[in-house]
């Protein structure tokens, strides 16, 4: 959830330029009123940097100092650009261009290409991986799917660092970059990839910047035309610019210095893409007369969360660490961070799901909770655990809200109702805007009570419910608002990608969580080998991993829960240890290398779902072995079956099919996917064991306490050849 969507109000635009400054703290006000010359804003996490720079632009526009069409604000994601446009619109500064580097460059490239080159702009390919595969085939180099992704990433890195194929090997060696294959092979693949692009008359994402840079460098008349259009530049997340983006920015600027940059070196987490904080850290060297403002008042996180975040950075080293900002929380005290240790990853996922279920039951909205992990591959086990616990969730990085089919269809229905509503009997009893929206969306599947479960039916309902809540907030802010006004608001939001909040626990990687915040954050898998990741070898790579954990910690407003597992699978060797980054910060640990831990240890070590100071640990288990051949089992699916996948099965096929038919009925009743009732592996295990009593059923892996209580009677009846009771707990 973004800061913009956390507030559901629709504020009226300020009446005057001075009113734009109301509510800003002294440092934010300094940013907003520094409208001349170069400005560098060093903004810590949660300090209101977007608020400061949007108010700066709006103040300049409202005061008549800046012309809206002459301002170009650039950032790195469509979501961030959309949020900026939405805030500027609310401040009465519509017409300002807020774009990503790529969208701004593409717009210029499309406009100037006929004049600079002639003809139409070559086709832009969405994904380059197929072209890389074709290049590998042409070079007679075999690449598996993982290697294809890695080689593609190397090509992207080379292009944003302005490295040509012939220089790849030297550049990779100079920067200490670990090539996924022999550097000479990467260079050959890169060169062949570029040849194929030329032969097929296509360009890729990075070419948009490269070609724009080339045109602006070679055609001074075009460069001057761009500079006459845009005379004031604002760059957000400046610590993430690549050398290529910096070169483009310099060409946009020319000899002028009307530039405001905003960033935090301690949040540099994309160096693998070519991003570097050097441009931010060297800003004052390049611009000796720059105004520098530091934002350190943290409005997002509690003092306890901020204390841990400061402690993480206090142990850091390197250039970024030398410029770290010591955050000062502006919020009331909250709970201490909770640390939990588990015997294995499934236990860790189940523990998080149990705690989240209790938090939701206590009144915390699911949309205000997030589970953050280091790699996307960790997501699946948490998806399953949340589904088993009956908790709705959403994956960060899924399709954008306004692109969802149910949202597009709902928008069309609302638009039709706004146009022809006077003749629609559905709206006869609707006395205000919210009731009109509820009436219209009831025809699209919205109901006053959510459906059970967390499947596609629930996801569609959540989308429609978000529109209902948006209508309620809109009507509360604008009492005379009509359905037509709401449709116009939705169109504006769709254009800005300013989505309303969808309820559901967010599952996200730490990288994709950048720029977001929640009331409750679970940082999972915080163990050596995952945080820092195994392949982080150099000091620079280790420090970037530390910054990544810092970003994760600073996503939490109030509740922060940090956990790790001693082994990957049940029965595995407990040879993992908590991340070194927690040394000296979690109770009972000692700071590494004798460095300061930022004011002493913070937080208490407590297991999720436990009381007192006890750490949650599962009972020690003996290794699971195949009941057919005796081989040690480590795969979760094989452990459910208690046999190797390839070992012969004595499953009762008829029983298995009856269980599948029963499961389909249960899934339909609850509106959940079938696997949320029981997975295929669990049904196979039941069909192989054919349990006669409750004890035998309860011992089958995958049949937890909740599922046993809900479905146990039905399953035992089916195993006994009987029909399950109608209207029982499975309904």
């Amino acid at each position: 959830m973004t800061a913009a969507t956390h507030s559901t109000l629709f504020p009226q635009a300020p009446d005057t330029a001075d009113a734009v400054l109301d509510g800003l703290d002294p440092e934010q006000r300094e940013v907003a009123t520094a409208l001349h010359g170069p400005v560098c804003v060093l903004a810590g996490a949660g300090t209101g940097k977007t608020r400061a720079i949007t108010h700066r632009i709006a103040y300049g526009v409202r005061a008549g100092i800046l012309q809206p069409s002459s301002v170009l604000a650039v950032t790195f994601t469509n979501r961030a650009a959309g949020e900026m446009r939405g805030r500027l619109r609310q401040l009465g500064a519509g017409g300002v261009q807020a774009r990503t580097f790529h969208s701004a460059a593409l717009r210029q490239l499309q406009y100037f290409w006929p004049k600079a080159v002639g003809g139409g702009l070559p086709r832009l390919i969405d994904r380059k991986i197929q072209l890389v595969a074709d290049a590998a085939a042409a070079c007679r180099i075999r690449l598996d799917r993982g290697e294809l992704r890695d080689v593609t990433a190397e090509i992207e890195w080379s292009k944003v660092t302005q490295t040509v194929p012939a220089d790849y090997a030297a550049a990779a060696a100079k920067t200490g970059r670990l090539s996924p294959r022999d550097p000479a092979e990467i260079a050959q693949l890169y060169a062949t990839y570029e040849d194929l692009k030329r032969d097929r008359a296509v360009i890729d994402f990075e070419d948009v910047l490269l070609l724009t840079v080339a045109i602006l460098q070679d055609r001074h008349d075009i460069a001057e035309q761009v500079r006459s259009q845009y005379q004031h530049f604002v760059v957000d997340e400046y610590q993430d610019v690549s050398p290529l983006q910096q070169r483009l920015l310099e060409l946009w600027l020319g000899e002028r210095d009307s530039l405001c940059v905003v960033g935090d070196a301690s949040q540099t987490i994309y160096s693998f893409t070519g991003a570097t904080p050097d441009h931010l850290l060297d800003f004052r060297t390049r611009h000796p007369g720059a105004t520098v403002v530091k934002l350190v008042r943290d409005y997002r996180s509690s003092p306890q969360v901020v204390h841990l975040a400061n402690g993480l950075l206090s142990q850091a080293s390197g250039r970024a660490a030398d410029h770290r900002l010591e955050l000062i929380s502006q919020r009331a005290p909250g709970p201490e961070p909770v640390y939990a240790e588990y015997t294995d990853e499934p236990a860790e996922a189940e523990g998080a799901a149990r705690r989240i279920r209790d938090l939701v039951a206590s009144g915390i909205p699911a949309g205000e909770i997030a589970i953050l992990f280091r790699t996307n591959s960790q997501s699946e086990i948490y998806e399953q655990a949340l589904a088993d616990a009956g908790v709705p969730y959403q994956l960060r990085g899924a399709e954008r809200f306004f692109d969802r089919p149910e949202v597009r269809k709902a928008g069309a229905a609302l638009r039709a109702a706004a146009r022809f509503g006077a003749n629609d009997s559905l709206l006869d009893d609707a006395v205000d805007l919210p009731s009109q929206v509820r009436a219209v969306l009831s025809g699209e599947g919205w109901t006053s009570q959510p459906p059970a479960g967390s499947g596609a039916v629930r996801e569609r309902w959540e989308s429609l419910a978000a529109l209902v809540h948006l209508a309620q907030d809109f009507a509360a802010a604008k009492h005379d608002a009509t359905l037509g006004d709401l449709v116009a608001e939705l169109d504006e939001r769709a254009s800005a990608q300013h989505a309303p909040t969808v309820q559901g626990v967010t599952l996200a990687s730490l990288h994709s969580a950048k720029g977001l915040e929640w009331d409750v954050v679970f940082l999972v898998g915080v163990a050596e080998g995952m945080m820092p990741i195994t392949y982080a070898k150099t000091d620079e790579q280790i420090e970037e991993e530390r910054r990544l954990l810092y970003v994760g910690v600073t996503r939490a407003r109030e509740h922060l829960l940090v956990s790790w597992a001693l082994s990957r699978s049940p029965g595995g060797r407990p040879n993992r240890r908590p991340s070194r980054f927690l040394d000296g910060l979690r109770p009972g640990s000692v700071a590494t290398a004798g460095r300061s831990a930022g004011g002493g240890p913070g937080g208490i070590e407590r297991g999720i779902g436990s009381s007192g100071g006890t750490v949650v640990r599962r009972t020690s288990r003996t290794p699971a072995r195949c009941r057919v051949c005796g081989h040690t089992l480590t795969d979760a699916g094989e452990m459910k079956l208690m046999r190797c996948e390839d070992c012969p099965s004595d499953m009762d096929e008829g029983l298995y099919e009856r269980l599948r038919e029963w499961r389909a009925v249960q899934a339909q009743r609850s509106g959940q996917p079938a696997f949320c009732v029981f997975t295929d592996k669990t049904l196979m295990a039941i069909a192989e064991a054919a349990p006669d009593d409750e004890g035998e059923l309860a011992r089958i892996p995958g049949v937890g306490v909740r599922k046993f209580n809900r479905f146990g009677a039905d399953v035992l009846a089916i195993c006994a050849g009987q029909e399950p009771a109608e209207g029982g707990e499975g309904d």
Side-chain angles (χ1 to χ4, degrees):
M1 168 180 300
T2 66
T5 57
H6 180 55
S7 173
T8 55
L9 299 178
F10 295 80
Q12 300 293 327
D15 295 332
T16 64
D18 286 342
V20 172
L21 304 177
D22 292 345
L24 299 181
D25 69 28
E27 294 79 24
Q28 292 171 343
R29 180 180 283 256
E30 185 70 26
V31 172
T33 54
L35 295 172
H36 301 287
V39 177
C40 179
V41 183
L42 302 176
T47 57
K49 68 178 180 63
T50 305
R51 176 180 174 82
I53 59 175
T54 52
H55 280 68
R56 178 181 188 271
I57 295 170
Y59 177 70
V61 169
R62 299 292 297 275
I65 299 171
L66 304 175
Q67 293 299 314
S69 60
S70 72
V71 180
L72 178 59
V74 288
T75 186
F76 287 83
T77 66
N78 288 320
R79 180 198 60 77
E83 179 183 335
M84 194 177 293
R85 287 194 296 272
R87 291 199 188 192
L88 288 169
R89 180 167 60 90
Q90 292 176 348
L91 291 170
V96 173
Q97 292 294 314
R99 296 181 174 273
T100 65
F101 271 101
H102 282 87
S103 68
L106 180 59
R107 196 177 187 210
Q108 294 173 18
L109 194 61
Q110 290 169 330
Y111 183 80
F112 290 112
W113 184 270
K115 179 179 178 180
V117 181
L121 182 69
R123 180 173 63 88
L124 176 63
I125 56 174
D126 294 330
R127 299 175 69 249
K128 58 174 68 69
I129 198 163
Q130 183 56 55
L131 208 56
V132 175
D134 294 344
C139 296
R140 300 180 183 277
I141 297 174
R142 296 188 62 179
L143 300 176
D144 61 28
R145 185 175 298 179
E147 289 173 320
L148 269 175
R149 288 196 301 269
D150 291 342
V151 170
T152 299
E154 289 305 293
I155 292 175
E156 291 173 349
W157 173 81
S158 299
K159 298 184 78 164
V160 300
T161 56
Q162 299 176 281
T163 302
V164 297
D167 295 338
Y168 170 78
K174 182 179 179 180
T175 58
R177 192 171 181 86
L178 297 176
S179 298
R181 295 181 69 93
D182 182 88
E185 280 189 337
I186 300 289
Q188 181 187 5
L189 288 166
Y190 179 13
T192 305
Y193 168 82
E194 291 297 315
D195 290 340
L196 286 176
K197 280 201 296 95
R198 281 190 292 272
D199 293 343
R200 299 177 186 182
V202 296
I203 59 175
D204 62 24
F205 203 52
E206 290 72 36
D207 288 332
V208 171
L209 299 185
L210 284 164
L211 292 171
T212 305
V213 164
I215 288 175
L216 295 179
Q217 285 181 157
D218 296 343
R219 293 289 300 268
H220 296 291
D221 57 328
I222 292 177
E224 286 306 314
Q225 191 173 342
V226 172
R227 291 166 191 159
S228 67
Q229 168 69 49
Y230 297 116
Q231 299 167 12
H232 191 89
F233 295 86
V234 177
V235 185
D236 194 13
E237 304 288 2
Y238 193 55
Q239 78 278 351
D240 289 333
V241 296
S242 67
L244 178 57
Q245 289 164 332
Q246 176 64 22
R247 180 60 186 142
L248 177 59
L249 178 62
E250 290 167 355
L251 288 167
W252 281 340
L253 274 167
E255 298 300 318
R256 299 166 300 174
D257 63 0
S258 185
L259 171 66
C260 174
V261 300
V262 188
D264 178 10
S266 296
Q267 295 188 69
T268 305
I269 58 174
Y270 298 109
S271 67
F272 60 91
T273 67
T276 170
D278 289 345
H279 305 298
L280 175 67
L281 298 177
D282 293 337
F283 191 85
R284 282 170 287 186
T285 302
R286 297 196 313 275
H287 303 279
T291 299
V292 179
V293 183
K294 295 183 179 180
L295 303 181
V296 296
R297 301 176 196 246
D298 188 316
Y299 297 96
R300 175 188 300 155
S301 303
S302 69
Q304 287 74 13
V305 172
V306 167
H307 178 70
L308 177 57
N310 286 335
L312 278 172
L313 292 187
S314 73
Q315 301 184 36
S317 60
R319 192 175 181 214
D322 293 338
H323 294 80
R324 72 184 181 93
L325 299 168
E326 187 87 12
L327 299 178
I328 304 170
S329 176
Q330 305 298 299
R331 294 190 53 166
E336 296 285 355
V338 173
Y339 301 90
E341 182 175 278
Y342 294 91
T343 55
D344 51 64
E345 289 182 3
E348 186 178 9
E350 291 167 10
R354 283 196 306 270
R355 180 62 179 255
I356 290 172
R357 184 183 61 201
D358 293 342
L359 289 170
V360 172
S362 72
I364 295 179
E368 289 293 353
I369 304 173
I371 297 177
L372 307 182
F373 32 75
R374 176 61 179 83
T375 66
N376 286 319
S377 63
Q378 295 169 270
S379 173
E380 184 177 0
I381 192 171
Y382 288 92
E383 293 178 52
Q384 181 66 62
L386 290 172
D388 287 347
V391 177
Y393 64 85
Q394 56 181 332
L395 293 174
R396 174 71 187 158
E399 63 182 335
R400 295 187 294 189
F401 179 83
F402 289 104
D403 292 337
R404 297 176 186 178
E406 66 271 19
V407 174
R408 291 201 302 268
K409 191 176 177 185
L414 290 169
R415 188 169 287 104
R419 186 176 301 171
F420 307 112
N423 300 319
D424 191 342
S425 60
L426 191 66
L427 301 180
D428 287 348
D429 297 327
V431 296
D432 55 17
L433 177 60
S435 60
Q436 289 176 334
V437 172
R438 289 193 293 268
V440 173
L441 297 187
S442 64
E444 303 300 322
W446 178 82
T447 56
S448 59
Q449 294 297 319
S454 58
V457 173
R458 177 63 182 250
E459 290 177 1
R460 287 193 293 271
W461 183 91
E462 293 285 1
S463 295
L464 299 178
L467 294 175
V468 171
H469 291 309
L470 187 71
Q472 292 169 345
D473 293 335
F474 190 64
K478 301 181 178 181
H479 300 293
D480 57 347
T482 65
L483 200 53
D485 294 333
L486 177 64
V487 168
E489 173 69 21
L490 290 175
D491 288 342
E492 290 276 6
R493 283 175 167 254
S495 174
Q497 285 301 325
H498 179 191
T501 303
V502 177
Q503 287 304 320
V505 174
T506 299
L507 294 173
S509 70
L510 287 164
H511 282 101
S512 65
K514 178 84 161 50
L516 305 176
E517 59 187 73
W518 297 268
D519 284 345
V520 185
V521 168
F522 287 74
L523 292 176
V524 299
V526 189
E528 286 291 308
M530 192 61 73
M531 181 58 66
I533 199 78
T534 305
Y535 54 74
K537 302 293 186 184
T538 67
D539 290 343
E540 292 80 6
Q541 291 168 339
I542 295 294
E543 287 307 314
E544 180 147 341
E545 293 288 298
R546 187 193 306 275
R547 294 195 295 270
L548 189 57
L549 183 58
Y550 170 79
V551 167
V553 168
T554 54
R555 299 311 94 194
R557 296 193 191 103
E558 186 170 7
H559 299 275
L560 179 64
L561 301 99
V562 185
S563 64
W564 58 90
L566 297 177
S567 67
R568 180 172 181 270
S569 303
R573 292 183 60 187
N575 55 3
R576 290 181 176 176
R577 63 173 295 267
S579 169
R580 72 190 75 171
F581 300 145
L582 299 178
D583 290 348
L585 301 175
R586 61 184 180 87
S589 63
V590 179
T592 55
R595 295 178 66 88
S596 164
I604 54 176
E605 187 135 354
R606 179 183 300 143
I608 296 177
S610 69
S611 60
T614 305
V615 177
V616 173
R617 298 177 188 268
R618 281 191 168 183
T619 305
S620 178
R621 301 171 177 166
T622 57
R625 299 188 182 279
C626 174
R627 55 188 168 82
V628 179
C629 69
H631 181 75
T632 299
L633 303 176
T634 57
D635 178 78
E638 291 182 343
M639 293 178 70
K640 282 188 176 181
L641 298 175
M642 291 306 293
R643 64 172 174 82
C644 300
E645 191 80 46
D646 299 331
C647 283
S649 168
D650 52 359
M651 182 176 70
D652 183 332
E653 295 286 352
L655 175 57
Y656 179 63
E657 287 306 316
R658 291 196 299 276
L659 287 168
R660 282 174 56 86
E661 291 171 3
W662 165 84
R663 181 182 65 174
V665 173
Q666 298 302 321
Q668 185 176 17
R669 287 177 177 173
S670 63
Q672 293 180 303
F675 71 81
C676 292
V677 180
F678 282 120
T679 63
D680 286 345
K681 284 290 197 311
T682 300
L683 290 188
M684 291 174 67
I686 294 171
E688 289 183 356
D692 292 326
D693 56 40
E694 293 181 348
E696 291 182 6
L697 176 61
R699 284 194 291 272
I700 295 175
V703 182
V705 174
R706 189 179 68 85
K707 290 188 177 182
F708 177 85
N709 291 336
R710 187 175 183 187
F711 300 124
D714 281 7
V715 171
L716 287 174
I718 295 170
C719 290
Q722 303 167 0
E723 290 296 323
E726 289 293 330
E729 281 286 73
D731 284 349

